[in-house]
Short mmCIF file of all heavy atoms in Angstrom, two decimals:
data_model
loop_
_atom_site.label_atom_id
_atom_site.label_comp_id
_atom_site.label_asym_id
_atom_site.label_seq_id
_atom_site.Cartn_x
_atom_site.Cartn_y
_atom_site.Cartn_z
N GLN A 1 -10.69 6.68 11.21
CA GLN A 1 -11.87 6.13 10.55
C GLN A 1 -11.81 4.61 10.37
O GLN A 1 -12.85 3.97 10.39
CB GLN A 1 -12.11 6.78 9.17
CG GLN A 1 -12.35 8.29 9.26
CD GLN A 1 -12.60 8.87 7.89
OE1 GLN A 1 -13.69 8.70 7.32
NE2 GLN A 1 -11.66 9.64 7.39
N PHE A 2 -10.57 4.06 10.24
CA PHE A 2 -10.48 2.66 9.91
C PHE A 2 -10.72 1.76 11.12
O PHE A 2 -10.79 0.56 10.91
CB PHE A 2 -9.13 2.38 9.26
CG PHE A 2 -8.91 3.21 8.00
CD1 PHE A 2 -7.79 4.02 7.89
CD2 PHE A 2 -9.84 3.13 6.97
CE1 PHE A 2 -7.61 4.80 6.76
CE2 PHE A 2 -9.61 3.95 5.81
CZ PHE A 2 -8.53 4.73 5.69
N THR A 3 -10.84 2.39 12.27
CA THR A 3 -11.30 1.54 13.43
C THR A 3 -12.84 1.49 13.51
O THR A 3 -13.38 0.71 14.28
CB THR A 3 -10.75 2.17 14.78
OG1 THR A 3 -11.31 3.47 14.93
CG2 THR A 3 -9.26 2.24 14.74
N LEU A 4 -13.49 2.28 12.66
CA LEU A 4 -14.94 2.34 12.68
C LEU A 4 -15.60 1.60 11.52
O LEU A 4 -16.81 1.43 11.46
CB LEU A 4 -15.42 3.83 12.67
CG LEU A 4 -14.90 4.73 13.76
CD1 LEU A 4 -15.31 6.16 13.52
CD2 LEU A 4 -15.35 4.21 15.15
N THR A 5 -14.77 1.16 10.55
CA THR A 5 -15.25 0.48 9.38
C THR A 5 -15.66 -0.94 9.71
O THR A 5 -15.19 -1.54 10.66
CB THR A 5 -14.22 0.46 8.27
OG1 THR A 5 -12.98 0.01 8.85
CG2 THR A 5 -14.01 1.84 7.69
N ASP A 6 -16.61 -1.51 8.91
CA ASP A 6 -16.97 -2.88 9.05
C ASP A 6 -15.97 -3.86 8.43
O ASP A 6 -15.71 -4.90 9.00
CB ASP A 6 -18.38 -3.13 8.37
CG ASP A 6 -19.43 -2.23 8.98
OD1 ASP A 6 -19.59 -2.31 10.22
OD2 ASP A 6 -20.10 -1.50 8.23
N ILE A 7 -15.40 -3.45 7.32
CA ILE A 7 -14.37 -4.24 6.66
C ILE A 7 -13.27 -3.33 6.13
O ILE A 7 -13.57 -2.27 5.57
CB ILE A 7 -14.97 -5.06 5.47
CG1 ILE A 7 -16.21 -5.85 5.88
CG2 ILE A 7 -13.93 -5.98 4.84
CD1 ILE A 7 -16.97 -6.46 4.68
N ASN A 8 -12.03 -3.73 6.33
CA ASN A 8 -10.86 -3.02 5.73
C ASN A 8 -10.22 -3.92 4.68
O ASN A 8 -9.98 -5.14 4.96
CB ASN A 8 -9.86 -2.58 6.78
CG ASN A 8 -10.28 -1.43 7.58
OD1 ASN A 8 -11.13 -0.59 7.13
ND2 ASN A 8 -9.80 -1.32 8.81
N PHE A 9 -9.94 -3.38 3.54
CA PHE A 9 -9.15 -4.05 2.49
C PHE A 9 -7.78 -3.32 2.45
O PHE A 9 -7.71 -2.20 2.04
CB PHE A 9 -9.85 -3.96 1.17
CG PHE A 9 -11.13 -4.73 1.08
CD1 PHE A 9 -12.32 -4.19 1.48
CD2 PHE A 9 -11.13 -6.05 0.59
CE1 PHE A 9 -13.50 -4.94 1.42
CE2 PHE A 9 -12.33 -6.82 0.50
CZ PHE A 9 -13.48 -6.22 0.90
N GLN A 10 -6.75 -4.07 2.86
CA GLN A 10 -5.40 -3.51 2.85
C GLN A 10 -4.47 -4.25 1.96
O GLN A 10 -4.19 -5.44 2.17
CB GLN A 10 -4.81 -3.51 4.33
CG GLN A 10 -3.48 -2.78 4.40
CD GLN A 10 -3.03 -2.62 5.81
OE1 GLN A 10 -3.02 -3.59 6.58
NE2 GLN A 10 -2.63 -1.44 6.20
N ARG A 11 -4.00 -3.55 0.88
CA ARG A 11 -3.03 -4.20 -0.05
C ARG A 11 -1.62 -4.06 0.48
O ARG A 11 -1.17 -2.96 0.80
CB ARG A 11 -3.21 -3.64 -1.46
CG ARG A 11 -2.45 -4.38 -2.50
CD ARG A 11 -3.02 -4.20 -3.88
NE ARG A 11 -2.74 -2.98 -4.50
CZ ARG A 11 -1.70 -2.78 -5.35
NH1 ARG A 11 -0.87 -3.80 -5.65
NH2 ARG A 11 -1.46 -1.60 -5.91
N VAL A 12 -0.88 -5.16 0.47
CA VAL A 12 0.49 -5.20 1.01
C VAL A 12 1.39 -5.70 -0.07
O VAL A 12 1.28 -6.83 -0.53
CB VAL A 12 0.56 -6.10 2.27
CG1 VAL A 12 1.97 -6.13 2.81
CG2 VAL A 12 -0.45 -5.73 3.30
N PRO A 13 2.31 -4.86 -0.55
CA PRO A 13 3.25 -5.34 -1.59
C PRO A 13 4.23 -6.40 -1.02
O PRO A 13 4.61 -6.31 0.13
CB PRO A 13 4.02 -4.06 -1.98
CG PRO A 13 3.87 -3.12 -0.85
CD PRO A 13 2.58 -3.49 -0.17
N ILE A 14 4.59 -7.35 -1.86
CA ILE A 14 5.63 -8.32 -1.51
C ILE A 14 6.89 -8.11 -2.30
O ILE A 14 7.69 -9.05 -2.51
CB ILE A 14 5.09 -9.71 -1.66
CG1 ILE A 14 4.53 -9.95 -3.05
CG2 ILE A 14 3.97 -10.03 -0.60
CD1 ILE A 14 4.07 -11.42 -3.33
N VAL A 15 7.08 -6.82 -2.72
CA VAL A 15 8.37 -6.44 -3.38
C VAL A 15 8.84 -5.25 -2.59
O VAL A 15 8.14 -4.67 -1.76
CB VAL A 15 8.16 -6.07 -4.84
CG1 VAL A 15 7.80 -7.31 -5.64
CG2 VAL A 15 7.13 -4.98 -5.04
N ASP A 16 10.10 -4.81 -2.83
CA ASP A 16 10.69 -3.75 -2.07
C ASP A 16 10.06 -2.37 -2.44
O ASP A 16 10.13 -1.92 -3.56
CB ASP A 16 12.20 -3.73 -2.39
CG ASP A 16 12.91 -2.67 -1.57
OD1 ASP A 16 12.34 -2.19 -0.57
OD2 ASP A 16 14.05 -2.30 -1.94
N THR A 17 9.50 -1.82 -1.43
CA THR A 17 8.90 -0.42 -1.58
C THR A 17 9.53 0.51 -0.50
O THR A 17 8.92 1.48 -0.07
CB THR A 17 7.41 -0.43 -1.46
OG1 THR A 17 7.03 -0.92 -0.15
CG2 THR A 17 6.72 -1.27 -2.50
N SER A 18 10.75 0.20 -0.10
CA SER A 18 11.33 0.89 1.01
C SER A 18 11.52 2.42 0.75
O SER A 18 11.51 3.20 1.72
CB SER A 18 12.64 0.26 1.47
OG SER A 18 13.48 0.15 0.31
N ASN A 19 11.74 2.75 -0.52
CA ASN A 19 11.84 4.21 -0.88
C ASN A 19 10.79 4.47 -1.94
O ASN A 19 11.05 4.35 -3.13
CB ASN A 19 13.22 4.56 -1.39
CG ASN A 19 13.38 6.06 -1.62
OD1 ASN A 19 12.36 6.79 -1.61
ND2 ASN A 19 14.58 6.51 -1.82
N PRO A 20 9.61 4.83 -1.48
CA PRO A 20 8.48 5.04 -2.50
C PRO A 20 8.68 6.17 -3.45
O PRO A 20 8.07 6.22 -4.48
CB PRO A 20 7.29 5.28 -1.53
CG PRO A 20 7.83 5.88 -0.31
CD PRO A 20 9.17 5.16 -0.15
N PHE A 21 9.65 7.08 -3.11
CA PHE A 21 9.82 8.27 -3.97
C PHE A 21 10.71 8.01 -5.17
O PHE A 21 10.85 8.92 -6.01
CB PHE A 21 10.35 9.39 -3.08
CG PHE A 21 9.48 9.73 -1.89
CD1 PHE A 21 9.84 9.39 -0.61
CD2 PHE A 21 8.24 10.27 -2.08
CE1 PHE A 21 9.07 9.66 0.46
CE2 PHE A 21 7.40 10.51 -0.95
CZ PHE A 21 7.83 10.20 0.32
N ILE A 22 11.30 6.83 -5.22
CA ILE A 22 12.08 6.54 -6.44
C ILE A 22 11.57 5.33 -7.14
O ILE A 22 12.12 4.90 -8.14
CB ILE A 22 13.56 6.29 -6.06
CG1 ILE A 22 13.71 5.04 -5.15
CG2 ILE A 22 14.22 7.51 -5.40
CD1 ILE A 22 15.18 4.56 -5.02
N ALA A 23 10.37 4.80 -6.75
CA ALA A 23 9.87 3.60 -7.34
C ALA A 23 9.40 3.94 -8.77
O ALA A 23 8.66 4.86 -9.02
CB ALA A 23 8.62 3.13 -6.53
N ARG A 24 9.87 3.10 -9.71
CA ARG A 24 9.56 3.38 -11.13
C ARG A 24 8.18 2.81 -11.52
O ARG A 24 7.59 3.28 -12.46
CB ARG A 24 10.64 2.73 -12.02
CG ARG A 24 12.01 3.33 -11.76
CD ARG A 24 13.07 2.67 -12.62
NE ARG A 24 12.81 2.80 -14.05
CZ ARG A 24 13.57 2.19 -14.97
NH1 ARG A 24 14.53 1.38 -14.63
NH2 ARG A 24 13.27 2.34 -16.27
N TRP A 25 7.71 1.81 -10.76
CA TRP A 25 6.45 1.21 -11.08
C TRP A 25 5.66 1.02 -9.83
O TRP A 25 6.24 0.82 -8.71
CB TRP A 25 6.60 -0.12 -11.77
CG TRP A 25 7.39 -0.06 -13.07
CD1 TRP A 25 6.89 0.39 -14.28
CD2 TRP A 25 8.71 -0.41 -13.28
NE1 TRP A 25 7.88 0.34 -15.23
CE2 TRP A 25 9.03 -0.15 -14.64
CE3 TRP A 25 9.76 -0.88 -12.44
CZ2 TRP A 25 10.31 -0.39 -15.23
CZ3 TRP A 25 11.00 -1.14 -12.99
CH2 TRP A 25 11.26 -0.92 -14.33
N ILE A 26 4.35 1.01 -9.97
CA ILE A 26 3.48 0.63 -8.84
C ILE A 26 3.46 -0.93 -8.79
O ILE A 26 3.33 -1.60 -9.78
CB ILE A 26 2.00 1.11 -9.13
CG1 ILE A 26 1.98 2.60 -9.20
CG2 ILE A 26 1.09 0.62 -8.02
CD1 ILE A 26 0.59 3.19 -9.61
N PRO A 27 3.68 -1.52 -7.64
CA PRO A 27 3.58 -2.94 -7.51
C PRO A 27 2.30 -3.48 -8.09
O PRO A 27 1.24 -2.93 -7.78
CB PRO A 27 3.70 -3.20 -6.00
CG PRO A 27 4.51 -2.06 -5.48
CD PRO A 27 4.08 -0.85 -6.30
#
C-alpha cells in the first residue's frame, strides 16, 4: 500500500533498537 500513497511519514530512531523485544522504552 505504501507504494500507492501520496505521502509517507516514516519515523526513524537514532538510538539503538537492534533488539526491539527487550527495549524498555519507546524512542
Side-chain angles (χ1 to χ4, degrees):
Q1 297 182 72
F2 302 124
T3 63
L4 304 174
T5 48
D6 300 305
I7 308 172
N8 285 335
F9 291 87
Q10 184 172 49
R11 189 154 77 94
V12 181
I14 53 175
V15 294
D16 183 17
T17 60
S18 52
N19 186 347
F21 303 108
I22 64 168
R24 297 177 61 186
W25 299 283
I26 299 173

